[in-house]
Amino acid sequence: MTEDRPRAAVQSHELMLALVRGPALAVVTLPLSILLFTLSLVSIVLLPIGVGVVTTPPTQQAVRWYAGQRRRLVHAWAGLEVPEPYRPWPRDLRGGVVGQVERCTLLLKDPATWRDMAWLPADMTAGFVTALLPPLLPLNLQLTKRMLEPTREMLLSRRVTELYETRHDAVDTSAAELRRIERDLHDGAQARLVAMGMSLGTIEALVERDPARAKQMIAQARENSAEALTELRDLVRGIHPPVLAERGLPDALRALALRMPVPVEEDIELPGRFEEPLESAVYFAVSELLTNAAKHAGAAKVWLDVLHVGAPDGSAIRVTVTDDGRGGASLGSGSGLHGVQRRLAQFDGVLALSSPPGGPTMITLEVPAGHAAE
C-alpha cells in the first residue's frame, strides 16, 4: 500500500504535465505545421517556372529547424533520442546562382526532406488530436520519433557518403604527401648529390695538377655527403619515424614531447602495439598539435595525456593536448587543426576543441583502435 502512493503521485504529476503541455503544443504547432506544409507545397509546385528554386531551400531549412525543435522536445518530454536524418552538405558547395540550384537539388534528393513533408500533415492531424487528449500525448511523441528519426537505409546512405569523403580526403592527403616528398628530395638531397657528383668530376681533373685544391674540394664533398645523408634521414623520419617503427607509439610520443621547445608534461598509458597506419596517424596528429601549441599559442607549458579507453564498439586511443597559451584556436578550413581532423577521419576518428580567447586550449582526439597486440 505504501509503495503504491509514490507511484500514484508520479502518475498524477505526469498527468498534470500532460494537461498543460498537450494544449500548449497543439495551439503552437497546428498553425506552424499548416504554414510550413503549405509553403513547402507551393515552392515545389513552382519549381518548373524557376521560382521554386529560390523559395524551396529557405522553406526546407525552416522545416528542418521546426523538425529539429520537435526532436529536442521529444527528448526533453519523453527521454527519447531522435537523431537527425539529413545528409551532410558537401564541403565544396559553391555560392551564387549555381549554388542555389545545387542546394535545391540536394534538398530534394535527400529522403529526409520528403519524410519531413509527410510528417507535417500527420502532425497537424493525428498529432493535434493526441496533443489535446493528455492520456494520448505519449502516443503523439512516439509518432514524432518514428517519423523524424533516420531509417536504416538513411543511416547506410550517410555512412556511404562519409566513407566516400574520407576516401577522397585520403587520396588528397596521400597526393600532397607525395608532392612534399618529391619537393624535399628535389630541393634538398638530390641537389646536394648532383653538386657532389660535379665536385668529384672537378676533383678528378685537379688531383694531379693541383692536389691542394683537390684536397679542399674533397673536404667540401664530404660535407655535402654528410648533409645529404642528414636530409635523407630527416625525410625518412617525416615519412615514418624510426622510433615509431622500432619501439612503438608510447616511446615515439615521449621522444616527440622531449624535442618540443616548450616543456611537455606527458602521461601515456597504451598497451602493446597497434596497426602501423593507426600509430602513424596518431603520431603525426600529436606532432601537429604539439607544434601548434609551441609555435602559435604562445604556451609556456603543454600537457599530453594518451589513454587506451573502452568504446561501445571496441576500444579507442584518446589523446588530450592542453596548453596555457592565448587560446582562440579554430577548426576552420585551411587551419592545421582542420588537416588533423581530415587525417583522423580516414580512421573514423573525431576531434573536439575548446579554446576560449585567453586560453587555455584543450584538444581531444579519439580514434577507434580495435585490440592492441601485446
Side-chain angles (χ1 to χ4, degrees):
M1 188 72 175
T2 305
E3 295 179 356
D4 291 340
R5 290 180 181 176
R7 188 179 305 167
V10 170
Q11 291 175 348
S12 176
H13 178 68
E14 291 178 350
L15 181 60
M16 291 298 296
L17 283 176
L19 285 171
V20 175
R21 289 172 170 174
L25 180 65
V27 169
V28 172
T29 60
L30 178 62
L32 284 176
S33 295
I34 293 175
L35 175 64
L36 289 173
F37 181 73
T38 303
L39 291 176
S40 299
L41 199 59
V42 171
S43 294
I44 292 173
V45 170
L46 294 177
L47 281 172
I49 63 173
V51 176
V53 174
V54 178
T55 59
T56 296
T59 301
Q60 289 304 317
Q61 290 297 332
V63 172
R64 291 189 174 192
W65 174 86
Y66 179 56
Q69 296 299 317
R70 295 297 295 275
R71 292 187 186 93
R72 283 185 281 275
L73 185 143
V74 170
H75 177 67
W77 287 7
L80 301 174
E81 290 287 346
V82 189
E84 289 194 348
Y86 309 115
R87 292 176 178 174
W89 290 101
R91 285 193 295 265
D92 59 348
L93 190 64
R94 300 187 298 274
V97 177
V98 176
Q100 189 75 3
V101 174
E102 287 178 343
R103 286 178 183 274
C104 185
T105 303
L106 289 170
L107 283 167
L108 295 178
K109 286 184 176 180
D110 192 343
T113 297
W114 302 103
R115 281 175 63 84
D116 286 350
M117 288 284 292
W119 166 71
L120 287 172
D123 184 61
M124 70 179 71
T125 53
F128 177 74
V129 173
T130 53
L132 289 178
L133 301 174
L136 298 180
L137 182 59
L139 179 65
N140 175 32
L141 298 178
Q142 287 285 351
L143 175 67
T144 301
K145 177 183 184 301
R146 190 173 298 111
M147 296 195 70
L148 292 183
E149 67 183 354
T151 63
R152 185 173 183 273
E153 290 74 15
M154 289 179 177
L155 293 174
L156 289 175
S157 176
R158 182 189 299 177
R159 182 59 179 157
V160 168
T161 301
E162 291 173 353
L163 290 174
Y164 174 80
E165 291 185 351
T166 54
R167 186 189 68 174
H168 189 271
D169 288 342
V171 172
D172 288 347
T173 301
S174 299
E177 189 70 10
L178 180 61
R179 288 194 298 270
R180 181 188 68 81
I181 293 171
E182 291 175 343
R183 183 177 63 250
D184 290 347
L185 282 172
H186 182 271
D187 298 341
Q190 178 179 325
R192 294 188 183 278
L193 290 173
V194 170
M196 189 171 62
M198 296 174 64
S199 297
L200 290 174
T202 305
I203 291 169
E204 187 178 10
L206 292 175
V207 69
E208 293 185 359
R209 72 171 186 266
D210 193 350
R213 175 61 178 162
K215 187 176 181 179
Q216 291 178 355
M217 295 190 69
I218 289 173
Q220 183 63 44
R222 185 184 299 113
E223 291 181 7
N224 286 339
S225 67
E227 291 176 357
L229 182 60
T230 299
E231 290 180 354
L232 285 173
R233 285 173 176 169
D234 291 340
L235 183 62
V236 171
R237 187 177 294 110
I239 298 172
H240 193 78
V243 67
L244 182 60
E246 297 168 5
R247 302 176 60 182
L249 186 59
D251 286 344
L253 293 178
R254 292 187 183 101
L256 183 64
L258 289 173
R259 293 202 303 268
M260 288 295 112
V262 297
V264 178
E265 183 178 313
E266 45 88 5
D267 182 8
I268 302 172
E269 298 180 9
L270 293 176
R273 298 297 301 266
F274 299 89
E275 293 182 359
E276 185 176 303
L278 176 63
E279 288 190 338
S280 181
V282 173
Y283 175 87
F284 285 110
V286 173
S287 176
E288 179 73 21
L289 298 181
L290 293 180
T291 301
N292 285 347
K295 292 178 62 176
H296 307 301
K301 190 172 183 179
V302 181
W303 292 264
L304 171 64
D305 297 287
V306 185
L307 298 172
H308 185 243
V309 298
D313 55 351
S315 66
I317 297 175
R318 180 181 296 163
V319 178
T320 302
V321 176
T322 309
D323 68 67
D324 59 358
R326 64 177 64 93
S330 70
L331 289 173
S333 179
S335 68
L337 293 180
H338 182 68
V340 173
Q341 195 174 37
R342 293 180 63 183
R343 180 191 290 268
L344 296 177
Q346 301 168 26
F347 298 86
D348 287 337
V350 294
L351 185 148
L353 169 68
S354 173
S355 183
T361 294
M362 176 182 290
I363 303 172
T364 301
L365 61 90
E366 189 168 299
V367 188
H371 301 284
E374 298 296 338

